[in-house]
Amino acid sequence: MKQLRKPIKLLILSIIALCMLYPLFVFGRLQGWEKASSVEEMINKPNRLTIIYRNHCPRCNKTLPKLFLEHGMENKKVILINADNLSKEELDELDVQKTPVFRINKHSYNTMDHGLINELWNKSK
């Protein structure tokens, strides 16, 4: 029985370490997406899902972490744009009244409905 304790402890510690590293990996990926994203890219690639958000938006903070943790390991790339970096004219053009906005195929969706958000994610190229 004592021989099994050490491998079991190592297995448990490994699982805990993976569970802690996964969110760091996902949110690191998000930062890369945001740095590489621009309005021009959104215009040139309308089939790719664009997410427009604000840092301190309660709706965004409620919706986006769950979405990114669910889909963090998928091989899709999304365009991630902070609404604070857009002008009022750009926000009006993109039909942004409140964030988060999910935009695909030149249509904007102001939603927190995870079913619709997952549909949009799956449509993204």
Side-chain angles (χ1 to χ4, degrees), residues 89-108:
E89 292 80 24
E90 289 173 317
L91 292 171
D92 290 340
E93 182 181 321
L94 298 172
D95 196 27
V96 177
Q97 284 92 35
K98 52 184 164 177
T99 53
V101 172
F102 300 88
R103 186 169 174 84
I104 191 166
N105 297 327
K106 299 182 182 179
H107 296 288
S108 294

Side-chain angles (χ1 to χ4, degrees), residues 9 26 32 35 41-42 45-46 48 53 60 64 70 73 77 82 99 106 108 125:
K9 284 181 184 179
V26 169
K35 287 179 184 174
E41 183 182 15
M42 177 183 58
K45 298 178 180 175
R48 185 172 286 173
Y53 75 98
C60 296
L64 298 180
E70 283 178 13
M73 295 300 286
K77 183 178 182 296
N82 188 337
T99 53
K106 299 182 182 179
S108 294
K125 306 260 182 207

